[in-house]
Amino acid sequence: PPRGQKIADADIVVCNKTLLDSHTMRLAKNLKYIGLFATGYNNIDLDYCTQNGITVCNAGSYSTNATVSISL
């Protein structure tokens, strides 16, 4: 089934590198939270989320220490 149908009854979606645009999320009437296993938000329609009260959180600093170690 299409992504929108898979999340239609979801309150929470946890994903990584999954496109969640307004067309996909419009079917998820109960959606309140999207958790990303990534640092960016580029796959999420943040305007749609803001307009519909959906909280979006990413894994913002999960690799900070590793990145600093590599660059030193």
Side-chain angles (χ1 to χ4, degrees):
R3 224 178 341 249
Q5 290 177 354
K6 290 181 181 181
I7 67 169
D9 295 325
D11 295 316
I12 296 171
V13 171
V14 180
C15 59
N16 182 25
K17 299 178 185 172
T18 302
L19 177 62
L20 292 176
D21 57 13
S22 60
H23 179 73
T24 301
M25 291 186 284
R26 68 181 169 76
L27 297 174
K29 301 295 184 194
N30 300 321
L31 188 59
K32 294 295 175 208
Y33 178 85
I34 299 172
L36 302 171
F37 292 119
T39 55
Y41 294 101
N42 56 312
N43 292 328
I44 309 299
D45 186 336
L46 294 177
D47 290 334
Y48 180 88
C49 291
T50 299
Q51 293 168 5
N52 290 279
I54 302 168
T55 300
V56 181
C57 293
N58 67 353
S61 61
Y62 79 95
S63 66
T64 302
N65 290 341
T67 304
V68 170
S69 295
I70 290 171
S71 65
L72 293 176

